[in-house]
Amino acid sequence: DRTGSILFINHIAEGFTREEVLGAPVNNFMPPEFATIIRDGIRRVFDEDAIVKADIKALGVHKESRWYSCHLSPVKHHGRTIAAIMRASDITERMEAENERRQHEQERGRILVHLQTIIDHMPVGCLMWNKDGYITAANPAVERIFGYQSKDLIGTHITGLASGITVKILEQSQVLPNDGGCIQVITSKSKSNYNVTCEWHSTPMRDDAGQVTDVISMMMNIGEREQLEEQLRQSQKMEAVGKLAGGIAHDFNNLLTAIMGYGEMLTNRLSTTDPCMSYVQQIKKAAQRAAALTYQLLAFSRKQVLQTQILSISQVVQELESLLGRLIGEHIVMHTKLPADIWEVLADAGQIEQVVMNLVVNARDAMPLGGTLTIEANNFTHDALSPKHFAEAPHGDYVRLSVMDTGEGMTPEVRLRIFEPFFTTKSEGKGTGLGLAVVFGVVRQTGGYIFVTSEKGHGSQFDILLPRAINRPQAKPGSDSTVQIAVRGSETILLVEDDEAVRTFVRDTLEASGYTVLTVADGHEAIEVSEHYPKRINLLLTDVIMPHLGGREVADMVVKKRADIKVLFMSGYTDDMVLAHGVAEGHKSFLEKPFTAPRLLGRIRKVLAE
């Protein structure tokens, strides 16, 4: 009736007694959410003469919950609705099947979403193409590998991206071994026209009839892997070369110390009219050139410790001009514009020389058929009106050093990567890819900035901005500006040097200048002499790196027993080797080999005078 009370049931409802059903509210036999549906349906039947259909859950004949398809319609008497009749058909099996199907679809949807997420984030490229060879899908990794966006690839033919791909996959009758697809190494062109070498794994997708419908291709950029392997080999080679250069330099600097030292002693003993004097001068000049060559060689292989000083960029470049002329060759014309009134900067002269040489070599290689190289320096105030590509540098006063060439120029893609370590556009064996990376590092370590402008076919220009030095720093202790003053002495010096030639030269020089010299060849002898020598030892002069016991260890042990002793280290090794043994170049107690007698004596007097 209108209240929802049950007035009549047929025999299908057997399992309930009439006492349980008749007069009871229909809502008692179903969950609340479905009871609401039936209650609303009864209201519509009585008030609107509506016919209502609904699928609900209710208690069945065995008092278990079942699904029913319900049909509510009015029962009329003399045109007036006096009751509502509900016909219910058991649809439990159908609803369970439908629910299962929906669950399967939802699960399938979740799996597809997960698969799509995996494919989108895969580090390898993934393409799908149809049996006609046209690309239908591409993941983001494909964009990273080839430079094309997915929307530009979809609808294009696969051979446009991989011209050498196996066309047999497209033949529906072709059955591949184990139907596992094929593996190919294919070199293609990227959007930027670079060669991209990938390993392609292509697998056909078949329908129930065994016909190919699609192909999935996975590709891995093995060119990057090969490049990284080559970079590792190159890095290991450079490290080995650096270590070899350091070892050679040590021995070579010991030899040069003896050559330069004895040459200086000969110069002091020969009269200016002696015909042998010119020979000695030539020996000294050759030794000095060899020492300079060694220093330049080491600059390519060691970690430099910046020895900053106030300097003029114009003067640094002018002193390099003759070397640069030989470096670039006769097929390139070099112009320099280096004003004398240039502002001063605070930098390491050797490092700035290295920067200039690297940029010049880079420009030379960009002009294999000849051209013009221009090097300019000028005072530059960076402000809001400056070129936009200088925006990275803070506003202020700089010295701008520009190196320009009329060479091949660079594409935008190359220009973005030129300062990356190991990146090079030169053919194999022609470059390490470290030159411009070193330039960038030195400039930034000096507090400056470097910018490049270039177009393909229109040359390149490198601009370096180095901050203007406003305040001139005081001279560092240990400067050799007065090495000739007060070089004689009467103190006692403990000399520790494993190289016989250097040991003999230093001993002879010191004894000739009035010093008492205790000479030993290794650290253990030095410790023994220090412990048993009865008188005061004023200075320990020791090589840094020696067999068995190094100079740093010797100094520590000697100072423990003789607290008032001064220490002066000397070494022909490169900076990183010296630093590894606890002694920093540029310190007042360090003397770099090769050295001459005046420099040795001057440094000793400075250390003793502290």
Side-chain angles (χ1 to χ4, degrees):
D1 62 16
R2 178 183 288 272
T3 66
S5 297
I6 299 174
L7 305 177
F8 168 82
I9 60 170
N10 66 359
H11 69 280
I12 295 298
E14 288 178 358
F16 292 95
T17 66
R18 286 185 172 272
E19 288 76 14
E20 291 175 307
V21 176
L22 295 180
V26 71
N27 296 346
N28 290 357
F29 300 92
M30 60 193 66
E33 63 269 24
F34 296 110
T36 301
I37 295 174
I38 296 301
R39 186 166 55 248
D40 182 66
I42 293 173
R43 180 193 59 79
R44 291 181 58 198
V45 168
F46 278 91
D47 294 345
E48 304 172 12
D49 285 340
I51 296 175
V52 179
K53 296 179 180 180
D55 293 337
I56 67 168
K57 258 190 173 183
L59 294 177
V61 294
H62 300 295
K63 300 183 181 180
E64 61 180 1
S65 182
R66 305 282 290 179
W67 276 100
Y68 294 94
S69 175
C70 294
H71 185 276
L72 280 170
S73 58
V75 178
K76 292 183 176 292
H77 181 67
H78 298 303
R80 184 172 66 89
T81 300
I82 62 171
I85 187 169
M86 181 171 72
R87 295 184 293 274
S89 300
D90 192 323
I91 58 169
T92 301
E93 286 73 15
R94 190 188 78 189
M95 290 298 292
E96 289 177 349
E98 181 69 18
N99 286 338
E100 187 175 353
R101 183 186 64 79
R102 279 198 298 267
Q103 289 176 1
H104 287 168
E105 287 183 353
Q106 290 173 356
E107 183 65 22
R108 181 172 176 271
R110 284 194 295 268
I111 292 173
L112 289 176
V113 169
H114 291 162
L115 285 175
Q116 188 63 51
T117 301
I118 292 171
I119 291 172
D120 287 345
H121 291 84
M122 284 171 54
V124 298
C126 181
L127 281 175
M128 179 176 284
W129 37 292
N130 61 27
K131 63 180 181 180
D132 297 319
Y134 290 96
I135 297 172
T136 57
N139 74 341
V142 174
E143 299 180 14
R144 294 193 295 270
I145 294 173
F146 297 102
Y148 295 101
Q149 293 187 2
S150 297
K151 63 180 182 180
D152 298 328
L153 289 174
I154 293 174
T156 63
H157 203 271
I158 187 65
T159 53
L161 194 62
S163 58
I165 199 162
T166 301
V167 295
K168 288 184 177 180
I169 294 178
L170 302 177
E171 300 175 7
Q172 297 185 36
S173 59
Q174 174 67 21
V175 178
L176 297 171
N178 300 323
D179 211 27
C182 65
I183 301 175
Q184 295 175 272
V185 175
I186 302 173
T187 299
S188 310
K189 288 288 185 181
S190 70
K191 187 177 181 180
S192 303
N193 207 34
Y194 285 114
N195 285 334
V196 180
T197 302
C198 290
E199 187 175 85
W200 287 65
H201 294 248
S202 299
T203 304
M205 309 299 292
R206 300 179 182 273
D207 59 19
D208 294 340
Q211 301 297 306
V212 174
T213 57
D214 299 279
V215 177
I216 293 180
S217 292
M218 313 286 283
M219 73 268 337
M220 180 183 297
N221 189 345
I222 61 174
E224 292 180 351
R225 183 179 67 198
E226 292 173 349
Q227 185 180 14
L228 288 173
E229 291 172 351
E230 180 58 33
Q231 288 174 4
L232 176 60
R233 287 192 292 269
Q234 185 73 358
S235 176
Q236 292 171 336
K237 182 175 69 174
M238 292 298 291
E239 182 180 356
V241 169
K243 290 181 179 179
L244 178 62
I248 293 175
H250 176 255
D251 294 337
F252 196 51
N253 283 332
N254 279 335
L255 294 172
L256 287 173
T257 299
I259 294 171
M260 295 170 66
Y262 283 117
E264 189 72 32
M265 294 175 71
L266 277 174
T267 301
N268 295 334
R269 295 192 179 189
L270 294 175
S271 67
T272 56
T273 58
D274 193 310
C276 293
M277 178 62 78
S278 62
Y279 301 152
V280 176
Q281 293 295 342
Q282 290 300 322
I283 291 173
K284 289 172 60 180
K285 287 181 181 179
Q288 290 169 355
R289 287 197 300 271
L293 178 62
T294 304
Y295 183 83
Q296 290 180 357
L297 172 66
L298 294 175
F300 289 96
S301 61
R302 68 179 173 180
K303 298 176 181 178
Q304 293 288 83
V305 177
L306 290 185
Q307 300 181 60
T308 56
Q309 58 182 307
I310 292 292
L311 52 83
S312 165
I313 291 295
S314 292
Q315 184 177 350
V316 171
V317 178
Q318 285 171 353
E319 292 175 355
L320 279 177
E321 278 195 68
S322 59
L323 174 62
L324 297 178
R326 295 193 298 271
L327 202 61
I328 61 177
E330 297 179 354
H331 64 300
I332 295 175
V333 178
M334 183 172 67
H335 298 299
T336 58
K337 298 178 182 179
L338 306 167
D341 60 346
I342 200 79
W343 290 331
E344 293 177 322
V345 298
L346 183 64
D348 184 314
Q351 294 281 34
I352 297 300
E353 290 176 355
Q354 190 64 58
V355 165
V356 174
M357 286 194 293
N358 281 358
L359 290 177
V360 168
V361 168
N362 190 71
R364 178 200 65 190
D365 293 343
M367 298 183 287
L369 301 180
T372 302
L373 171 68
T374 304
I375 305 176
E376 292 183 0
N378 63 328
N379 299 328
F380 176 71
T381 298
H382 179 34
D383 53 27
L385 300 178
S386 301
K388 291 183 178 179
H389 64 276
F390 289 166
E392 180 186 359
H395 291 174
D397 290 338
Y398 294 88
V399 172
R400 178 167 66 177
L401 176 65
S402 302
V403 178
M404 297 163 279
D405 66 68
T406 58
E408 300 170 345
M410 293 175 276
T411 63
E413 292 80 10
V414 172
R415 193 170 64 244
L416 289 173
R417 300 187 60 193
I418 55 172
F419 295 122
E420 294 181 11
F422 302 110
F423 176 77
T424 179
T425 58
K426 299 173 185 177
S427 58
E428 185 176 354
K430 296 294 185 181
T432 63
L434 291 173
L436 292 179
V438 170
V439 168
F440 180 85
V442 169
V443 170
R444 294 309 302 265
Q445 189 179 7
T446 308
Y449 299 85
I450 184 168
F451 307 94
V452 58
T453 53
S454 180
E455 291 183 16
K456 190 66 176 177
H458 293 85
S460 302
Q461 175 172 335
F462 289 83
D463 291 299
I464 295 173
L465 302 184
L466 297 177
R468 178 185 182 183
I470 305 299
N471 300 318
R472 177 181 288 272
Q474 297 180 351
K476 293 181 179 180
S479 170
D480 288 330
S481 57
T482 58
V483 293
Q484 298 287 356
I485 298 177
V487 294
R488 294 188 61 82
S490 58
E491 292 88 348
T492 298
I493 298 176
L494 174 56
L495 170 63
V496 190
E497 171 60 61
D498 61 316
D499 186 275
E500 182 179 1
V502 176
R503 186 171 64 248
T504 303
F505 157 65
V506 174
R507 183 198 62 201
D508 293 347
T509 300
L510 295 178
E511 289 179 345
S513 298
Y515 293 98
T516 299
V517 184
L518 308 175
T519 307
V520 296
D522 61 57
H524 293 295
E525 288 186 60
I527 301 300
E528 187 175 349
V529 169
S530 174
E531 290 180 349
H532 295 93
Y533 189 71
K535 299 180 181 180
R536 180 183 180 186
I537 301 177
N538 302 91
L539 175 71
L540 170 64
L541 175 59
T542 177
D543 193 16
V544 176
I545 301 175
M546 299 179 293
H548 308 304
L549 200 62
R552 178 83 265 180
E553 292 82 2
V554 172
D556 290 341
M557 297 175 71
V558 170
V559 169
K560 284 182 180 180
K561 298 292 181 66
R562 297 176 179 268
D564 59 343
I565 194 171
K566 302 296 177 63
V567 180
L568 175 59
F569 297 103
M570 54 184 175
S571 180
Y573 266 105
T574 56
D575 287 348
D576 53 348
M577 290 290 290
V578 173
L579 285 171
H581 285 75
V583 182
E585 183 179 355
H587 191 272
K588 61 187 176 184
S589 61
F590 180 82
L591 181 62
E592 183 182 22
K593 298 175 183 178
F595 51 77
T596 59
R599 187 160 176 246
L600 168 66
L601 295 171
R603 182 61 65 85
I604 287 176
R605 287 313 318 162
K606 285 180 176 295
V607 174
L608 289 173
E610 284 294 323

